[in-house]
Amino acid sequence: MGYRKVAIVGAGITKFVRRAQETGPEMAYLASKMALDQAGLKLKDVEMITLGSAPDAFDGVHMKGEYLLSGAGGNNKPYIRNFVGGGTGVFAPIHGWIHVASGACDVCLVVCSEKMSSCHPHPQGAFLTIFDHTTEQPLKPTLIWIFALEMRRYMETYGLSKADVARVAVKNKNNALDHPSAQVAEAVTLEDVLNSEVLAEPVNRLDISPASDGAAAVVLASEDVAKRLTDKPVWIDGVGWNLDTSYWATKDLYYPRYVEKAARMAYEMAGITEPHKQIQVAEPYDPFDYKELHHMEGLLLCERGEAARLTAEGYTARSGNLPTCPSGGALGVGNPIAATGLMKVIEIFLQLREEAGKRQIPGKPRVGVAQAWGDLMQVGTVIVLRR
Amino acid sequence: MSFKESIQLNTQLGYFEGEIPVNYQYTLGIAGTKFFETLMNEGQFVASECKTCGVKTIYPLIYCEECFSAIDTYVPVGLEGELYSFTKCYRDYQGKEYQTPHLIGLIRFEGIKGGIIHRLGIDDKEVHIGMKVKAKLKPAKERNGTLEDILYFEKS
Ligand SMILES: [Zn+2]
């Protein structure tokens, strides 16, 4: 299709924590430096930089792209911020891919940094103004009750119980016990999740990922540069993104068609015709447990309404046929919005290189998919990686 | 567009009140903590020093903007610098007139990249670019490790 081949050649990730002493630029630096070191590159080797970060209101810094600039190594270089809300973390490497695939540069650094702990008393206050100012904001909605509406409709459509959904939280929080960056890894049981505090029916506290501080970065390189740098390049085979209406109340809620459209775009580019057979590992976005199920279906990794049954059967465990969120996901590793999506891409990168340590899935996976979702429940961002 | 020039207030057009109901608690960060703790406890400024390329920066950073090396070396800078530029301001950020105009300056330090922006406690007939200035700090026991530990810069 006229695109140049692009590989990930290095990755870095900070710890995800509820409250970091580091500032946003300091976190961006730590992740960027790790990624460059792993790639065996200096900042002077980087030609262009793209930075992903969620709404400015979390950090309380307008022009957050500029605020994070020097920590992300962007001074005096072609640098730009990319943004699609919660979908940003997977869009950021897509944006970097555009830089390299187009021939604009050979080496692009992709950085995502998020500091939600500045926001007081809670980032929910900042979320308030993503809702329509006349038709929704007067009710003072929280994200949780908006998701509760979506979760209930999803459960109702496919006849799912709370336990069917909660198994995702159990899997991911336990998976995260093996992730060195994890904030909320816990050996929780199904009973723990079901008995945790009810926040907005049917959502309990352990159904949700936490607010976090953290950063992640990857280095992208064109084919010849990548082959010179490493004998284990991981290729970006397909990218897709798609936005559905901002009038979210008009959607059916039980199926994320925008994720499907993004996935189809990425799969077509990657030559994937039967995703459930051709993909060996997946990192669907899981800010809530039901969202992993929702997104598995949107990613066409299973039939609609089947994701919960597959989860219960162990199909998505690390030892299963199609491991999902072997990292521990947002539910276990933590959810510093943009950095979370990139953490997922990094997990697929490590799994395909067989460098995921205790999290390594068996069977020498060759193809993986990472996905994020966000804005006003309307964006899907999808990336397919191949070793 | 149906904007009506004769209407001066949104309240005449049909409206909802809104706000972003948060405030912020910004952490000082690693290098910022070093700077403000030293200011509070030792009464002086510190710069970060890159061991790779030698560049010193104020306010300090944990990384070198020039060569991207990690930094954990901080060097004392004292309190004296040179006035690089200044302005006399008459209104605050909401357009309200100050009771007395504020004199604000950018102060640089010899051999150091960057600088400090602060109030000037200098007669406006005397203020000029290039003059030597020195930070006037709060008394040690009143300092709390913030920018307000510096009262102003005065003639040195
Ligand atoms: Zn340096």
Side-chain angles (χ1 to χ4, degrees):
Chain A
M1 268 202 282
Y3 300 127
R4 300 201 306 165
K5 281 184 79 173
V6 182
I8 302 179
V9 294
I13 185 165
T14 68
K15 271 188 160 325
F16 288 1
V17 295
R18 176 64 189 99
R19 215 169 291 288
Q21 183 186 3
E22 285 83 356
T23 61
E26 287 178 339
M27 293 193 299
Y29 171 73
L30 295 172
S32 302
K33 180 71 171 153
M34 272 187 258
L36 288 170
D37 286 350
Q38 197 195 17
L41 292 173
K42 300 283 186 201
L43 184 59
K44 64 175 171 49
D45 303 317
V46 172
E47 294 164 280
M48 295 187 181
I49 292 166
T50 182
L51 180 284
S53 200
D56 288 353
F58 287 144
D59 293 51
V61 176
H62 276 159
M63 308 209 310
K64 211 185 338 174
E66 289 69 13
Y67 169 64
L68 296 169
L69 169 78
S70 86
N75 283 7
N76 299 301
K77 289 186 189 280
Y79 166 98
I80 193 166
R81 175 185 180 180
N82 63 81
F83 177 76
V84 274
T88 300
V90 169
F91 187 74
I94 294 175
H95 196 230
W97 173 87
I98 293 170
H99 284 57
V100 181
S102 65
C105 70
D106 284 321
V107 179
C108 182
L109 176 64
V110 178
V111 186
C112 289
S113 180
E114 214 71 73
K115 188 162 168 93
M116 301 175 76
S117 63
S118 305
C119 204
H120 193 78
H122 196 277
Q124 284 297 343
F127 276 122
L128 183 62
T129 54
I130 73 172
F131 296 104
D132 188 276
H133 47 65
T134 36
T135 60
E136 289 160 4
Q137 265 187 54
L139 299 170
K140 299 279 186 282
T142 75
L143 275 191
I144 297 170
W145 46 277
I146 296 303
F147 290 130
L149 297 175
E150 192 178 68
M151 178 168 166
R152 193 187 290 281
R153 190 70 227 178
Y154 176 69
M155 291 167 63
E156 172 74 18
T157 302
Y158 299 115
L160 303 178
S161 69
K162 273 284 294 172
D164 290 330
V165 173
R167 284 189 193 96
V168 173
V170 175
K171 169 178 69 73
N172 292 3
K173 284 174 182 293
N174 279 276
N175 279 354
L177 290 166
D178 297 324
H179 200 300
S181 292
Q183 173 187 351
V184 281
E186 244 184 302
V188 295
T189 63
L190 190 56
E191 287 65 41
D192 293 334
V193 179
L194 296 176
N195 294 331
S196 63
E197 179 192 351
V198 179
L199 298 177
E201 289 174 358
V203 179
N204 296 43
R205 185 169 293 283
L206 291 180
D207 291 316
I208 312 185
S209 60
S212 314
D213 293 353
V218 293
V219 181
L220 306 185
S222 60
E223 185 171 12
D224 26 323
V225 175
K227 285 180 171 165
R228 209 162 64 227
L229 288 171
T230 175
D231 48 14
K232 290 203 280 183
V234 170
W235 303 102
I236 297 177
D237 254 19
V239 301
W241 66 99
N242 197 281
L243 279 91
D244 204 340
T245 175
S246 297
Y247 300 104
W248 65 272
T250 64
K251 288 187 285 193
D252 62 34
L253 302 185
Y254 59 83
Y255 186 70
R257 58 182 173 174
Y258 45 95
V259 171
E260 179 186 328
K261 287 187 171 172
R264 286 191 185 279
M265 176 178 165
Y267 294 160
E268 189 183 332
M269 199 181 293
I272 290 177
T273 48
E274 293 181 290
H276 63 288
K277 287 186 188 160
Q278 291 166 274
I279 290 169
Q280 290 97 43
V281 56
E283 281 277 342
Y285 196 45
D286 62 326
F288 286 62
D289 43 14
Y290 80 94
K291 291 305 288 187
E292 173 167 319
L293 305 174
H294 219 223
H295 293 151
M296 280 172 64
E297 293 166 15
L299 287 167
L300 309 172
L301 297 174
C302 61
E303 296 293 322
R304 293 190 192 191
E306 285 295 289
R309 181 180 59 77
L310 292 171
T311 303
E313 289 171 0
Y315 185 84
T316 61
R318 277 194 202 132
S319 55
N321 275 357
L322 178 58
T324 55
C325 293
S327 65
L331 286 163
V333 186
N335 196 4
I337 314 284
T340 311
L342 196 50
M343 177 277 286
K344 288 177 167 290
V345 176
I346 291 171
E347 181 69 10
I348 300 295
F349 167 73
L350 295 173
Q351 291 287 350
L352 299 184
R353 278 167 64 123
E354 296 188 84
E355 290 176 358
K358 286 164 78 179
R359 304 189 309 284
Q360 185 63 49
I361 63 165
K364 300 188 189 307
R366 290 186 54 81
V367 181
V369 63
Q371 172 256 334
W373 152 94
D375 280 339
L376 201 53
M377 305 200 285
Q378 72 193 132
V379 66
T381 53
V382 176
I383 194 163
V384 176
L385 303 182
R386 185 191 303 269
R387 79 174 150 87
Chain B
M1 296 288 278
S2 62
F3 188 71
K4 302 179 175 78
E5 293 297 336
S6 61
I7 290 175
Q8 303 283 322
L9 298 168
N10 284 3
T11 49
Q12 293 171 272
L13 291 168
Y15 76 107
F16 284 92
E17 289 281 348
E19 60 167 346
I20 302 184
V22 286
N23 53 53
Y24 294 97
Q25 298 170 341
Y26 304 103
T27 61
L28 295 172
I30 304 297
T33 299
K34 183 72 186 173
F35 181 89
F36 286 105
E37 281 186 352
T38 310
L39 180 63
M40 176 168 68
N41 299 327
E42 298 169 29
Q44 66 168 332
F45 301 140
V46 291
S48 53
E49 181 180 9
C50 175
K51 287 295 186 192
T52 307
C53 73
V55 169
K56 296 175 191 165
T57 308
I58 207 162
Y59 294 94
L61 296 168
I62 63 163
Y63 54 89
C64 179
E65 282 197 300
E66 306 300 317
C67 73
F68 222 49
S69 298
I71 294 180
D72 58 4
T73 303
Y74 299 90
V75 293
V77 174
L79 293 172
E80 272 189 86
E82 192 177 299
L83 189 61
Y84 190 77
S85 191
F86 65 93
T87 178
K88 193 173 174 182
C89 313
Y90 295 87
R91 287 178 186 271
D92 71 11
Y93 66 94
Q94 288 172 323
K96 243 173 57 191
E97 202 166 343
Y98 288 125
Q99 286 192 324
T100 52
H102 286 194
L103 211 52
I104 299 289
L106 167 56
I107 295 95
R108 291 254 159 99
F109 304 86
E110 202 179 337
I112 311 273
K113 183 183 167 185
I116 292 177
I117 295 165
H118 219 288
R119 295 179 288 264
L120 300 177
I122 301 171
D123 189 307
D124 57 7
K125 288 181 199 65
E126 276 190 273
V127 68
H128 62 274
I129 283 176
M131 72 187 293
K132 301 289 176 205
V133 294
K134 184 176 181 185
K136 171 77 175 171
L137 305 185
K138 278 184 183 166
K141 61 179 188 312
E142 290 175 27
R143 290 181 217 142
N144 57 3
T146 68
L147 196 61
E148 292 301 319
D149 288 354
I150 306 168
L151 293 169
Y152 48 79
F153 280 78
E154 60 189 3
K155 219 168 90 177
S156 70

